[in-house]
Amino acid sequence: METDALLRLRVRVDEAIRRRTILVVTGRFGTGKSFGVARAVEERAPVHDVDVVWLEMQASTGQRDQWHELYYEIHGYYPAKSATIGDVIRMLKHDLAERPRVLVLDEAQEVHKQVSKQLRWLHEPKSSDFGLIFSGTPNLWHDLLPGAIRSRTGHHVKVKGLSDEDAVKLLPQFHPIFATADPDDLRRWNRTRARGSFRWWARILENAVDLLPHLDGKLTDRAMAVICADLPEGMS
């Protein structure tokens, strides 16, 4: 499924790869931003002969660990234990100018602020040859990214959840089970059950595939109540 927002995202990812610019992508959990970035990078990086460096940031890791993980994603092994943060940054400066790359930081709300600042410094020289994509939760833009990154960002794409009209249009294309539902029900369930989340619609579909054959094969309020009954709290 591709909403208008994900289509715009694909265009901006292509631009970040092609022009080696900084792109920031924000959205709530489950809105499809990571999937959208991943699919766009997978499609467009080979077109521009660019290597992809994808790093999923982990919570509660210090800047030394984050630099070492980035080094690992490029080289396939960690730097020497004796290497300081400064040593690793200098080696990465060479790596990120050596050949065209796009560096994607997923869950970027977990990036250490000092790492963000240094990445901006690595990206700044004309000799650098990489696009930089931050993908994270909405607070990433205003609360977590340094001003030096925001001021140099080419575009900030805000990925919103699935709208009610998108649900009616796209869900039946996603799986024929949703074509059995009344459009007004899909709109209502999108608000009350899935809350516009691609991730939750996928969870609902998993249950529907198993349970719907035992519920007359059509999505109704009764069927949806059964399907959602064992999903986490707030989805039933």
Side-chain angles (χ1 to χ4, degrees):
M1 296 190 296
E2 184 170 64
T3 63
D4 290 343
L6 292 178
L7 175 61
R8 293 196 308 274
L9 174 59
R10 181 151 51 89
V11 171
R12 296 310 182 192
V13 167
D14 180 81
E15 181 179 358
I17 293 171
R18 176 171 45 88
R19 299 180 59 192
R20 317 290 195 264
T21 55
I22 298 175
L23 171 66
V24 177
V25 182
T26 59
R28 294 185 295 109
F29 292 112
T31 52
K33 61 185 181 298
S34 294
F35 172 79
V37 170
R39 187 169 69 171
V41 167
E42 183 180 7
E43 287 179 0
R44 304 310 300 170
V47 172
H48 301 295
D49 191 26
V50 168
D51 289 347
V52 178
V53 181
W54 185 285
L55 187 60
E56 184 169 345
M57 309 308 296
Q58 302 296 322
S60 304
T61 54
Q63 62 167 314
R64 182 179 185 276
D65 289 337
Q66 292 184 357
W67 285 118
H68 279 232
E69 289 298 330
L70 176 53
Y71 185 95
Y72 178 87
E73 290 301 322
I74 292 176
H75 291 274
Y77 55 87
Y78 290 104
K81 290 184 178 180
S82 59
T84 65
I85 291 176
D87 293 334
V88 176
I89 291 173
R90 282 188 289 272
M91 289 186 283
L92 288 172
K93 182 179 180 181
H94 172 268
D95 295 330
L96 295 171
E98 184 182 31
R99 67 159 281 108
R101 289 185 168 92
V102 57
L103 171 57
V104 183
L105 303 179
D106 195 23
E107 304 297 347
Q109 68 276 4
E110 306 296 346
V111 177
H112 194 284
K113 279 194 174 182
Q114 194 60 36
V115 172
S116 296
K117 291 178 181 178
Q118 292 290 351
L119 282 171
R120 193 277 304 173
W121 176 78
L122 290 172
H123 186 266
E124 188 78 7
K126 291 183 179 180
S127 59
S128 75
D129 199 11
F130 70 102
L132 180 56
I133 300 175
F134 294 88
S135 176
T137 51
N139 62 331
L140 172 66
W141 179 255
H142 291 293
D143 301 334
L144 302 175
L145 283 180
I149 289 284
R150 295 198 303 272
S151 65
R152 289 165 174 80
T153 295
H155 292 93
H156 172 202
V157 179
K158 301 175 184 178
V159 180
K160 297 182 179 179
L162 195 67
S163 72
D164 293 347
E165 294 311 310
D166 281 338
V168 171
K169 176 183 176 182
L170 298 176
L171 287 172
Q173 299 176 22
F174 183 49
H175 197 283
I177 277 179
F178 295 119
T180 69
D182 183 278
D184 286 338
D185 287 339
L186 285 178
R187 292 185 182 93
R188 177 162 48 82
W189 296 333
N190 188 57
R191 294 192 302 273
T192 61
R193 299 288 188 180
R195 295 181 176 85
S197 168
F198 289 92
R199 186 175 300 166
W200 283 115
W201 274 119
R203 295 286 298 277
I204 288 169
L205 177 60
E206 288 178 5
N207 278 11
V209 168
D210 293 333
L211 295 172
L212 207 57
H214 306 284
L215 299 166
D216 299 326
K218 185 177 180 181
L219 275 179
T220 61
D221 275 330
R222 174 179 174 269
M224 185 61 81
V226 174
I227 288 165
C228 295
D230 61 351
L231 289 176
E233 186 178 353
M235 294 303 302
S236 58

